[in-house]
Each structure stands twice: as C-alpha cells, then as structure tokens.
Amino acid sequence: MTVISVKHVSKNYSRIAALTDLTFKIEENVITGIVGRNGAGKTTLLKMIAGFQKTTKGELRVFNENPFRSLLVSANSIYIDDAMSYPGSMKLHELFDEFNRFYANWNEELAVRLMEYFSIPLNTRHRFLSKGKRSTFNAIVGIAARCPLTIFDEPTTGMDTAARNDFYRALLKDYIAFPRTILLSSHYIDEMKDVLENLLVIHRKRIRYHGSVSDLQEAHVSLRGSSEQLSGATLGKNIVSKTTRGLQDEWIVENDFSDAERAELNRQGITNTSVSLNDAYLALTEQLRGGIDDVFNA
C-alpha cells in the first residue's frame, strides 16, 4: 500500500523556491532515509508530509488524503525534531499519560524501559533536560508511539555517539517487532545506514535519487590512480565526482564496467572498489570537479 504519494510538488516561500517538481511514492512499512545538504529542502518536505505546511503546487497525499490539517493524518502520524516543546508545568510521566490518550499504539512499558536505560527521570520536566537528553526523550516518544507514519527530522541532534548508536538499534528492534512507515532525516548517514531500506536524496531542491540503499552503492565504483590514468580509463563513462586523496585522485564513476574493462583497470594499477553509502551520497551531491579541492587547485 502506498502511504505517501507526491506528484509534481513544489514549495515556494514568497518568490524563493524551497522544493521544485518532486514526484515519488513511499510504500507501507519501509524505512526511508531523507538526506541532502543543508538548505536542500528536507525539513520543508517532511513538514508538508506531516501536514504542517501547504504545498505551493502539485498533489500530495498521505493515507490518500491531503495531509494539511487532516485529522486522519494527525492521528496516525508523529513528527519528531529538536524543536519540540511541551507544557512547562507537566512532568515527563504526565506527558506519557497524554501520549497514551492520543496515540492508539502508544507502548507505555517500552517508553519507561527506554527512559530507564537512557537515565532520564520521569519526574522531571522537559525544559530541565540537557539538549542531548531532550533529543533522546523526543526520540523515545517517536519510537513508543508506534504511529503508522513516524517522521524523525534530525532526531539525534545533541546526542553523543553512544546515544545515537543506541537510538538506531532501538528503532530497528522495535520496527522489526512492529513494522510501520518511517522517514528518517539525519546528517549522520553512516550511522543510520544499517536501519535504512531506501534512500531519498534531495539535491538543489529536486529529487536526485530515490531507491534502495544497495542499488545506490552498486551503481557506483571508486577508482584511484593518477589523473592521467583515470582520464584514460573513464572515457565515455559518467563521472559523478572527483577528489584528491593524498597523492592520488579518486573518481567515483557510474558502475557500468564490463569484466574486460575491470581487468584492464587492474592491469594499469588502478584501484577499483565498491563505495560506502556515505561516499555514494556525497558523489550525488558534490560538484563534479571536487568541491573544496577546487579552491586550492585554482
């Protein structure tokens, strides 16, 4: 079942384009990473899906409804980010009581166990928590609510490395036990790679890639050698990024090499390896000539 359908959606703020002509679908019970550079439009997209903002053009449907001010979407989704605020007079255990009333799948037992694990006292108030603990509390709410559509927008802001790793492990374990559609936006793409099934890359306010994580990695290969070697070896190939790694150049190229071409790369001493998810993502969102390297090579 399609949970989110986006057809030629654009979003403008006054005359400034935030997103341009987005078209994609997200199916039920899939974890999708929403990634892109700062200013790419990730948060704008997630807020439109959550029903917080209107589209400027195009058609957006969540659970087959326009999500803006939709009671159905509101009752079946949760949006977690680092700007969440709660009534200052209420303690965390009192907030849990309210979540239990609103979210049909709220799991109080799981929420309490996670609070104990992360050493967050239930009898304190949200505003008294450190930034990292506030983010952890918000993330616990997102997991324990078990909403059919769960949206995490940079949920690990302020968390230390151990807390971030534990969050992703907890999210994956609960997703396996209670599948739902999850959108996960984060700058720490390598940390969340083990929980992702699909990736949606937004670049320059448009969709750059939408598909499986494994397909994205397999679609690219990393070549290392001198610039002269790589220039000759990649004639007719689609080069997606060029960088300098120490004394060698590294080019990431679309992976359509035949077995014979790979054998020739090896003969020439050109190292060819698979790419990490982070490198594949960066390849899609960097300038062709290498980005920051050009500043020093001008």
Side-chain angles (χ1 to χ4, degrees), residues 218-221 223 233-238 253-268 270 272:
E218 292 170 5
H220 298 85
V221 62
L223 305 181
T234 57
L235 288 175
K237 303 295 184 183
N238 187 16
V253 184
E254 287 191 3
N255 188 14
D256 59 355
F257 288 88
S258 66
D259 290 342
E261 288 174 322
R262 284 186 175 275
E264 180 60 21
L265 293 174
N266 292 331
R267 190 191 67 77
Q268 294 181 33
I270 297 173
N272 57 98

Side-chain angles (χ1 to χ4, degrees), residues 52-240:
F52 298 162
Q53 295 184 5
K54 287 183 177 180
T55 62
T56 302
K57 294 181 181 178
E59 180 181 272
L60 171 60
R61 291 290 181 268
V62 178
F63 303 123
N64 292 319
E65 284 198 8
N66 183 338
F68 187 67
R69 295 180 178 172
S70 165
L71 293 178
L72 174 68
V73 173
S74 178
N76 287 278
S77 65
I78 188 169
Y79 180 93
I80 302 294
D81 69 359
D82 65 352
M84 298 180 74
S85 60
Y86 303 97
S89 61
M90 298 182 70
K91 294 184 178 180
L92 300 184
H93 69 85
E94 294 173 318
L95 293 176
F96 279 7
D97 292 338
E98 296 306 313
F99 299 149
N100 185 53
R101 292 188 181 96
F102 187 79
Y103 297 112
N105 299 322
W106 174 256
N107 190 310
E108 182 93 6
E109 181 182 355
L110 174 62
V112 170
R113 288 203 309 268
L114 287 171
M115 293 285 283
E116 291 173 351
Y117 177 83
F118 287 104
S119 301
I120 303 176
L122 282 165
N123 63 349
T124 191
R125 292 176 172 81
H126 191 260
R127 69 177 186 272
F128 295 149
L129 299 175
S130 68
K131 183 175 182 61
K133 292 292 187 183
R134 286 199 301 270
S135 291
T136 302
F137 174 80
N138 297 342
I140 289 171
V141 173
I143 293 173
R146 289 181 170 174
C147 287
L149 173 59
T150 299
I151 301 172
F152 291 102
D153 186 5
E154 298 290 347
T156 61
T157 301
M159 293 186 197
D160 59 33
T161 301
R164 292 199 302 269
N165 290 338
D166 283 338
F167 160 69
Y168 290 121
R169 289 178 62 194
L171 179 64
L172 181 57
K173 283 180 175 291
D174 199 60
Y175 167 77
I176 292 171
F178 196 93
R180 60 269 210 191
T181 303
I182 297 176
L183 305 183
L184 182 60
S185 168
S186 175
H187 286 102
Y188 301 101
I189 190 167
D190 268 350
E191 291 185 356
M192 65 176 182
K193 66 180 184 297
D194 291 335
V195 306
L196 297 181
E197 297 168 81
N198 287 347
L199 198 68
L200 190 150
V201 180
I202 303 176
H203 185 53
R204 295 178 179 171
K205 310 183 190 307
R206 296 178 181 269
I207 300 297
R208 183 70 173 83
Y209 175 83
H210 183 215
S212 76
V213 168
S214 58
D215 284 352
L216 176 60
Q217 290 181 259
E218 292 170 5
H220 298 85
V221 62
S222 169
L223 305 181
R224 289 195 183 190
S226 69
S227 59
E228 293 79 8
Q229 285 178 309
L230 298 182
S231 293
T234 57
L235 288 175
K237 303 295 184 183
N238 187 16
I239 302 163
V240 293

